[in-house]
Amino acid sequence: MDQPTSGAEPADAADGGAEALDRPLPEGVRRRVVALVSDAFGGLTVAELPTQLRQYARFTPTRRAKFAGNAMAAALESDALFRQRIGERLGQSQPELAGALEAGSPPAAADPLDVAAAAYVLRPVGWVKLVEAAGEEVQRADAERADEETRRELVQLREELERARAHTRAETERLRTELEAARKEAESLHRKLRSALSEVKRGEAALRRSAAAADTVRAEAAAQVSAAESESRRLKGRLGEAESALEASRRAAREGRSVEDMRLRLLLDTVLDAASGLRRELALPPVTTHPADTVDAVEPGRMSPKDIAARALSETDPALLDQLLALPQAHLIVDGYNVTKTGYPQMPLEKQRLRLLGGLSVLAAQTGAEMTCVFDGAELAAPVLLAPPRGVRVLFSKAGVTADELIRQLARAEPPGRPVVVVSTDREVADGVAKAGARPVASVLLLKRLSRV
């Protein structure tokens, strides 16, 4: 951009510098001025911009007008050189408007805000009057718009008032109709109430008649009771006479009883001989239940797996397992994978099973206890090929049934009182079998015992 001539600034000061606004710039004119400066801003180099505006050099015109509006307006007012450069850009972009303002005859068809904004930048003679005239024009236009909006609102309010009146008339008519219907309904209810009162009176009369009839019935019943008591006394007298006659007949029967006794004894011997022969023929076992067994009483307690804990042994002492398996008819149920994954989890599952079953076989031979080892087979595609060792029962759970549930089923299947020991570290399994009367022990206890085999 060409630098301004030395005579440009004095001309600006002589023509427009003496004039000044005595009031704030109208808001509409200010917005147009900011937009005009923002559009012309991009045609200036960074060196030509005031220092406070250089940070907005790369902004778009819209963002520049939004964020640097106040700064541009202040620079335009205080920096005559910046204002001159903006005026030159305005003269290039709008030469007709700039020329008309310089000539002192702004175009009549131009927007007053554009004329006022250009006059504020170019500062021709009489620019203050143009700005004030534009402000007055804007105020007049705003007043006209406000009047127009007020008239529209007034028309709208009148229409709403008319609708409200029509609605009120319709609502009043509806309420009058409902009131008439309620009045008719009230009259109908009054008639029904009078009819109900008449029914109540008739019911009260019928109740009094029923009470009188009940009194009559009670009197008749009292008379019948009295007659029945008299008949009862008469029948008791006849009963005494019958008992006396019966006693007499019994004395007469006892006198001829000796022959009958002989015949009865002969019949009894025959029955006993027949019963003895029938017992030999059927080979009936001797009677194991005696009358004393049917008497309800408290019997002495028997040793159970729960009593072994009183022997002052640690829960991880292998001697505790030996004491439990020494009980009569003891049954050891082992949660297979729970034990193997506690003792030797690094081995393949097949070798885990073989190692555990081998140890259980030796333990079964040493203790003579019944042993059952349960493995989880819910996810197996086919049965595991395995030859169970002697003395150990091996079971896999079915599809849909976990090994824990199978262990609980085995514990519940045992009769109450039989020593049942379940080896598992799973707390849910231990709690379940304990409710069924079994004694749970930790997997590490069995591992320690098998290490001695």
Side-chain angles (χ1 to χ4, degrees):
M1 174 181 291
D2 298 335
Q3 295 296 328
T5 62
S6 59
E9 292 186 9
D12 182 33
D15 295 339
E19 298 184 27
L21 292 172
D22 57 354
R23 66 186 67 180
L25 195 64
E27 182 61 26
V29 177
R30 180 185 177 281
R31 287 196 296 270
R32 293 294 176 89
V33 169
V34 171
L36 189 150
V37 174
S38 178
D39 292 338
F41 198 95
L44 302 178
T45 64
V46 176
E48 292 173 337
L49 296 175
T51 304
Q52 68 271 24
L53 296 180
R54 291 177 180 176
Q55 58 180 327
Y56 305 108
R58 296 183 180 275
F59 282 30
T60 62
T62 303
R63 295 185 70 241
R64 193 180 302 127
K66 180 178 180 181
F67 296 103
N70 293 334
M72 288 190 296
L76 191 67
E77 178 64 26
S78 60
D79 192 336
L81 180 58
F82 176 64
R83 184 169 62 251
Q84 182 181 355
R85 289 169 177 167
I86 296 298
E88 292 174 356
R89 290 293 176 183
L90 177 60
Q92 294 175 5
S93 61
Q94 302 184 39
E96 296 179 358
L97 178 59
L101 288 174
E102 293 293 341
S105 57
D111 189 343
L113 293 178
D114 291 338
V115 174
Y120 182 78
V121 173
L122 297 174
R123 302 290 175 94
V125 177
W127 67 273
V128 174
K129 293 182 180 179
L130 292 174
V131 173
E132 292 178 348
E136 293 174 357
E137 182 66 23
V138 171
Q139 291 178 357
R140 185 166 54 255
D142 291 342
E144 290 177 356
R145 284 195 300 272
D147 291 341
E148 183 64 25
E149 291 178 358
T150 303
R151 285 194 293 273
R152 286 198 300 270
E153 290 180 359
L154 181 59
V155 172
Q156 184 178 0
L157 290 174
R158 286 176 178 172
E159 292 176 355
E160 292 179 358
L161 178 60
E162 185 61 28
R163 288 195 296 270
R165 287 176 177 173
H167 178 71
T168 302
R169 288 193 295 270
E171 189 68 17
T172 302
E173 184 64 25
R174 184 182 65 80
L175 292 175
R176 186 179 292 109
T177 303
E178 292 180 357
L179 179 61
E180 184 65 24
R183 186 180 294 109
K184 293 180 180 178
E185 185 177 359
E187 293 176 355
S188 175
L189 291 175
H190 281 302
R191 289 194 296 271
K192 292 180 180 179
L193 179 60
R194 288 193 293 270
S195 176
L197 291 176
S198 300
E199 291 291 336
V200 169
K201 291 180 180 178
R202 286 195 293 270
E204 291 176 349
L207 181 60
R208 288 192 293 271
R209 290 194 297 271
S210 298
D215 293 339
T216 302
V217 170
R218 280 195 293 271
E220 293 177 353
Q224 291 178 0
V225 168
S226 177
E229 291 177 351
S230 300
E231 181 66 17
S232 176
R233 288 193 294 272
R234 186 181 66 81
L235 292 177
K236 286 181 179 179
R238 294 187 60 185
L239 179 60
E241 296 175 358
E243 289 176 350
S244 301
L246 178 60
E247 182 61 26
S249 63
R250 285 177 178 174
R251 285 196 300 270
R254 281 196 297 270
E255 294 176 355
R257 189 173 180 179
S258 57
V259 178
E260 294 297 331
D261 288 345
M262 179 185 62
R263 296 176 62 189
L264 182 61
R265 178 60 183 273
L266 180 60
L267 179 60
L268 179 60
D269 292 340
T270 304
V271 171
L272 290 176
D273 294 339
S276 178
L278 183 61
R279 180 176 181 178
R280 288 192 303 271
E281 182 177 354
L282 296 178
L284 296 177
V287 177
T288 58
T289 303
H290 303 280
D293 295 331
T294 62
V295 177
D296 188 13
V298 178
E299 296 183 358
R302 296 180 174 86
M303 184 69 70
S304 68
K306 296 182 179 179
D307 300 321
I308 298 300
R311 299 292 183 86
L313 293 176
S314 171
E315 290 291 333
T316 59
D317 189 348
L320 176 62
L321 186 60
D322 290 332
Q323 290 185 358
L324 292 171
L325 297 180
L327 294 174
Q329 297 296 323
H331 184 188
L332 180 68
I333 301 175
V334 180
D335 188 351
Y337 288 140
N338 185 276
V339 175
T340 61
K341 291 181 180 180
T342 300
Y344 23 88
Q346 71 282 358
M347 299 176 62
L349 290 181
E350 181 180 1
K351 293 186 178 180
Q352 290 182 19
R353 291 194 296 265
L354 294 176
R355 180 173 176 177
L356 175 61
L357 293 177
L360 291 177
S361 177
V362 177
L363 184 62
Q366 291 176 352
T367 61
E370 179 183 357
M371 294 193 182
T372 302
C373 187
V374 178
F375 293 103
D376 193 354
E379 298 181 358
L380 294 177
V384 176
L385 298 178
L386 178 67
R390 185 171 183 176
V392 181
R393 180 187 299 107
V394 181
L395 299 177
F396 287 87
S397 60
K398 295 182 178 179
V401 180
T402 63
D404 298 348
E405 179 59 27
L406 181 57
I407 291 172
R408 286 191 288 269
Q409 292 177 5
L410 290 171
R412 290 194 294 267
E414 294 294 342
R418 183 184 184 184
V420 179
V421 182
V422 177
V423 179
S424 178
T425 310
D426 192 327
R427 175 53 54 189
E428 185 177 355
V429 174
D431 294 342
V433 299
K435 292 180 181 178
R439 169 66 187 271
V441 298
S443 298
V444 67
L445 185 64
L446 177 61
L447 291 170
K448 289 183 178 180
R449 179 60 181 83
L450 293 180
S451 64
R452 293 165 35 192
V453 174

